[in-house]
Amino acid sequence: ALNQNLAELSGDINVSFEFFPPATESMEQTLWNSIERLSKLKPSFVSVTYGANSGTRDRTHSIIKDIKERTGLVAAPHLTCVDATRDELRAIAKDYWDNGIRNIVALRGDLPPGAGKPEMYANDLVALLKEVADFDISVAAYPEVHPEAKSAQADLLHLKRKIDAGANRAITQFFFDVESYLRFRDRCAAIGIEAEIVPGILPVSNYKNLLKFAGFTNVKIPQWLHQRFEGIADDDQMTRNMVGASIAIDMARVLSREGVKDFHFYTLNRSELTYAICHTLGVRPKA
Ligand code: FAD
């Protein structure tokens, strides 16, 4: 079975990597080391998050600019609409376009506590961006349903609206239940979404942080994942990395066998696990 898998893995897999603006100088060094290492795998794009309501948009932009200059990679800033007016968003988009940025990850962003119904949803942002210029746009999708959605079907219809507004692909929230991704992909196809539903892979090396984070997101942590980290949550980092990588590698191989060709990685600004998973998928440095 192993031989057969390796044969399957010779296909053309496309990867993309997500980073976030670092908070300290030492984290900045880690980020650049990771970008440098992962850039060798020639990702189709890399993206940099923007914390909605955090006022750090300038940092997202400057990292994007630096990535483009230092590596020549296609770099996509994340842009949220929950914390900006339409005029501000148009100005930001125009500025990005004028600076040679052609790719954007378009999001609504989380609502601040106590906020009422938002003025814009992500589909409105996609439409606004497309009015400014012909950006390549990625949007978010939720195989296990966005926490605010009235129902799974309503959430799916909202995703379709984003694609119909001009988005080129959807990147999923991270997940561990591969079946839920595969079912979701089927439901997207059934409703007429032709754009790629790119699985977002979170290589886990810090199980405790994962539990904290998964709480806000509706992402199921299956029993088998608890079991794999049982007893090593505070163990040596290298040991946790190996366990985390093996989990993501197992998932990636199943996805690859199910015909998935595009993978997006939530790198958390580290390269070790993501590089190992890409390598196993047959993604190798290109000249
Ligand atoms: P939407 O697609 O607008 O959906 C939000 C909710 O509203 C859903 O429940 C949807 O079903 C519902 N909805 C949509 N349209 C309507 C409508 N017309 N009427 C009523 N309900 C509607 N957050 C950040 O702050 N910065 C980031 O950089 C960032 N990057 C992300 C990257 C990815 C790949 C993913 C998956 C998420 C990211 N997020 C980021 C988180 C995201 O901002 C939150 O999940 C946010 O709550 C929803 O954003 P969205 O773009 O999915 O919103």
Side-chain angles (χ1 to χ4, degrees):
L2 199 55
N3 283 341
Q4 191 189 344
N5 283 344
L6 290 174
E8 281 165 3
L9 295 177
S10 61
D12 45 342
I13 301 281
N14 303 304
V15 294
S16 53
F17 303 127
E18 182 171 314
F19 303 102
F20 63 86
T24 63
E25 251 171 54
S26 80
M27 281 172 70
E28 178 145 359
Q29 195 51 51
T30 306
L31 168 69
W32 283 106
N33 292 344
S34 302
I35 292 175
E36 207 168 290
R37 178 134 193 259
L38 292 170
S39 69
K40 300 196 172 84
L41 299 177
K42 295 283 181 286
S44 34
F45 67 93
V46 300
S47 77
V48 178
T49 62
Y50 164 66
N53 313 302
S54 73
T56 59
R57 185 140 30 218
D58 290 347
R59 297 183 50 226
T60 300
H61 190 174
S62 81
I63 296 167
I64 288 285
K65 219 173 95 213
D66 288 350
I67 292 177
K68 272 165 63 73
E69 280 166 13
R70 290 202 205 177
T71 67
L73 293 175
V74 173
H78 291 216
L79 178 60
T80 57
C81 59
V82 73
D83 51 352
T85 66
R86 283 175 187 267
D87 282 345
E88 283 164 353
L89 292 166
R90 270 189 283 266
I92 293 163
K94 193 167 178 311
D95 187 47
Y96 276 145
W97 187 268
D98 291 344
N99 281 287
I101 289 157
R102 299 287 178 262
N103 301 61
I104 290 185
V105 182
L107 305 142
R108 187 198 66 183
D110 286 325
L111 302 175
K117 191 172 152 42
E119 225 168 85
M120 287 177 80
Y121 288 93
N123 65 297
D124 302 309
L125 177 59
V126 174
L128 180 147
L129 291 171
K130 280 290 186 186
E131 274 166 31
V132 172
D134 192 16
F135 286 103
D136 173 287
I137 298 175
S138 302
V139 293
Y142 303 86
E144 295 174 301
V145 185
H146 185 265
E148 270 170 54
K150 288 228 170 67
S151 65
Q153 189 61 17
D155 209 26
L156 189 62
L157 286 167
H158 292 140
L159 172 62
K160 181 153 191 315
R161 283 202 189 168
K162 296 194 272 195
I163 303 295
D164 290 346
N168 298 74
R169 74 192 61 73
I171 300 171
T172 76
Q173 176 65 283
F174 67 89
F175 57 88
F176 300 100
D177 180 3
V178 172
E179 281 302 317
S180 73
Y181 164 82
L182 294 173
R183 277 196 302 273
F184 179 70
R185 191 178 63 164
D186 289 347
R187 293 177 59 232
C188 288
I191 202 178
I193 295 175
E194 286 175 7
E196 215 54 63
I197 309 295
V198 181
I201 306 290
L202 175 69
V204 178
S205 59
N206 193 326
Y207 174 66
K208 281 189 168 167
N209 281 355
L210 169 71
L211 292 187
K212 259 187 257 161
F213 191 58
F216 311 116
T217 56
N218 243 11
V219 173
K220 280 195 287 290
I221 310 292
Q223 198 52 35
W224 60 259
L225 191 78
H226 288 296
Q227 280 165 352
R228 290 240 213 151
F229 278 104
E230 199 174 5
I232 59 160
D234 293 310
D235 210 312
D236 170 66
Q237 180 72 52
M238 178 91 88
T239 303
R240 287 188 277 136
N241 279 358
M242 288 166 81
V243 171
S246 80
I247 290 168
I249 286 170
D250 288 349
M251 287 175 59
R253 292 181 122 185
V254 176
L255 291 168
S256 160
R257 230 177 288 144
E258 292 289 340
V260 173
K261 295 269 182 234
D262 300 274
F263 290 84
H264 183 78
F265 290 91
Y266 297 106
T267 68
L268 303 181
N269 293 358
R270 319 278 323 191
S271 65
E272 300 89 348
L273 276 75
T274 298
Y275 197 98
I277 302 156
C278 288
H279 179 88
T280 312
L281 281 169
V283 180
R284 301 291 152 87
K286 291 180 195 123

